[in-house]
Amino acid sequence: MWSFVHAFAGFLFPRYCVVCGRRLVTGEEYLCSGCLLEMPTVRCKSYFDNDMAQKFWGLVPMEKATAIFYYRHGSPYTRLLFEMKYHDNISVCRALGRFMAAKLESKGFFDGINVIVPVPLAAERYKQRGYNQSEELARGIASITGLRVETRSVRRVVSNPSQTVMRPEERMDNVRGIFEVTDAAALSGCHVLLVDDVMTTGATLLSCAETIFASCSIRLSVLTLAMAGRELL
């Protein structure tokens, strides 16, 4: 009965792939099977020694770091990021979070991690958007892994300008001192997974990580949905 209802609903309200626009079939969620196969997936032999992890070497202790896919200017996969940030689509954030967890859980990425901390938005930006896409990704991850999501222990105290057109050195200055730990006890002694939607230079993630390390005794890992391709790093 339910299969008939879903099929009928799909006929009345067809769903389309966020990336290519092709009509989705039963079992597909936001991404068609073709786009999943063609996704520029991040592949790494080590969660400690890879393009993302190297951004933190010598700056903060990092146990594991990775992303799901590379993004590049002009790539249709950037539509996923726009859908999350600018189209008020919380459900796609949650679905992508579940996708991230499903990709990594069997590989042991979440082993030993106690808590997820999504990179917080500034209050003004949260009010404008109505949600934090990184938090919604974290909620999706948590629904698969069972990990606790901690949203009140770290906050963003400065609404810094967008970094889209900034040079790497400008990005570092732009994010300096923008975070604050408000509940160190909630994180102390934990293996924290810092989650964000995208990493370009790593400046925002590094600033958040440094702030947490300055207040808490933790172990740290990082996970993002996307990271810049080599030509953007």
Side-chain angles (χ1 to χ4, degrees):
M1 177 66 178
W2 279 112
S3 60
F4 171 78
V5 171
H6 284 297
F8 187 65
F11 175 76
L12 291 178
F13 308 103
R15 301 169 301 120
Y16 298 94
C17 176
V18 173
V19 173
C20 72
R22 187 182 70 81
R23 185 168 175 170
L24 297 176
V25 300
T26 302
E28 294 177 339
E29 190 176 25
Y30 296 106
L31 283 168
C32 69
S33 55
C35 286
L36 282 173
L37 286 172
E38 296 298 323
M39 179 177 279
T41 305
V42 172
R43 304 181 189 279
C44 55
K45 294 181 179 179
S46 166
Y47 290 131
F48 175 72
D49 184 2
N50 57 59
D51 289 344
M52 179 182 283
Q54 289 170 15
K55 291 290 180 182
F56 303 94
W57 285 1
L59 300 172
V60 293
M62 182 64 58
E63 298 212 3
K64 292 179 275 191
T66 194
I68 300 301
F69 71 90
Y70 289 107
Y71 81 93
R72 297 172 174 83
H73 288 315
S75 166
Y77 289 90
T78 58
R79 294 170 191 160
L80 285 172
L81 305 177
F82 280 100
E83 189 71 23
M84 290 170 53
K85 282 189 175 184
Y86 305 116
H87 290 174
D88 298 328
N89 203 332
I90 292 176
S91 60
V92 75
C93 297
R94 295 279 182 99
L96 288 169
R98 294 192 296 270
F99 172 64
M100 294 165 74
K103 291 274 287 183
L104 296 174
E105 189 173 37
S106 63
K107 299 176 182 177
F109 180 82
F110 300 102
D111 293 354
I113 292 171
N114 307 111
V115 60
I116 305 174
V117 174
V119 173
L121 280 180
E124 292 178 12
R125 199 163 296 173
Y126 187 95
K127 187 175 181 180
Q128 292 170 353
R129 188 171 296 166
Y131 64 97
N132 175 1
Q133 72 278 0
S134 298
E135 179 181 337
E136 299 306 329
L137 282 175
R139 299 285 181 197
I141 294 168
S143 70
I144 300 295
T145 63
L147 293 170
R148 173 170 62 97
V149 178
E150 178 57 57
T151 61
R152 298 185 179 182
S153 57
V154 182
R155 70 187 184 105
R156 200 169 190 139
V157 293
V158 176
S159 183
N160 55 314
S162 171
Q163 302 189 135
T164 305
V165 297
M166 291 185 180
R167 298 189 300 273
E169 61 273 17
E170 292 174 325
R171 287 173 182 248
M172 291 303 299
D173 290 336
N174 188 46
V175 298
R176 191 164 285 117
I178 66 172
F179 297 104
E180 176 184 78
V181 172
T182 56
D183 187 358
L187 300 180
S188 291
C190 291
H191 184 168
V192 174
L193 177 63
L194 198 58
V195 167
D196 207 358
D197 58 338
V198 61
M199 188 199 82
T200 304
T201 64
T204 300
L205 285 162
L206 178 59
S207 178
C208 192
E210 287 176 334
T211 300
I212 298 173
F213 270 114
S215 301
C216 313
S217 175
I218 64 164
R219 298 160 61 198
L220 183 71
S221 294
V222 169
L223 174 61
T224 66
L225 174 64
M227 67 180 293
R230 289 184 177 273
E231 75 276 12
L232 296 181
L233 291 173

